[in-house]
Amino acid sequence: MANNDLTLKAVYAAPDSSKTLSHAIAVDTSKDSFAAKQSHLTILQALVPQLQEEINVFLTERMEEDKKAQGAVSEKEAREEENYGEEVVEEDA
């Protein structure tokens, strides 16, 4: 039984950090071509959603870190962001 390893990989790169998420995929080259392809696709169908979930978790963590690093947003900035693209009429108190 001959095996080759392939890797399903996602790479995140930013100016301040990078991260690689990967999963090894064993490929059995002793099987006939159709069976090998079918096995490979079955493995990919299982690994792709798993990798997507890992990416989502990582990016969510990064977003939370970025929010903490930015500090608290002022009330005015929060309102401006909330109403971005909309015409807002200021009421006199």
Side-chain angles (χ1 to χ4, degrees):
M1 179 185 265
N3 284 324
N4 293 326
D5 285 335
L6 298 175
T7 304
L8 177 63
K9 178 170 45 173
V11 178
Y12 169 85
D16 61 339
S17 68
S18 64
K19 179 155 179 102
T20 300
L21 303 166
S22 62
H23 291 276
I25 303 170
V27 179
D28 186 355
T29 57
S30 67
K31 294 181 182 178
D32 67 50
S33 180
F34 178 77
K37 287 179 183 177
Q38 189 174 18
S39 173
H40 181 78
L41 289 175
T42 300
I43 293 168
L44 279 175
Q45 282 180 317
L47 287 178
V48 167
Q50 184 178 344
L51 184 61
Q52 287 175 323
E53 179 61 27
E54 291 170 10
I55 292 167
N56 289 341
V57 168
F58 172 73
L59 291 176
T60 300
E61 290 171 357
R62 286 288 306 185
M63 287 173 33
E64 291 300 321
E65 290 171 10
D66 288 347
K67 283 181 185 178
K68 288 178 185 175
Q70 286 178 344
V73 177
S74 75
E75 186 179 318
K76 181 180 178 184
E77 289 173 329
R79 271 186 281 141
E80 287 174 357
E81 185 174 317
E82 185 178 307
N83 296 317
Y84 181 77
E86 297 178 15
E87 184 177 341
V88 177
V89 178
E90 296 288 330
E91 294 181 17
D92 293 330

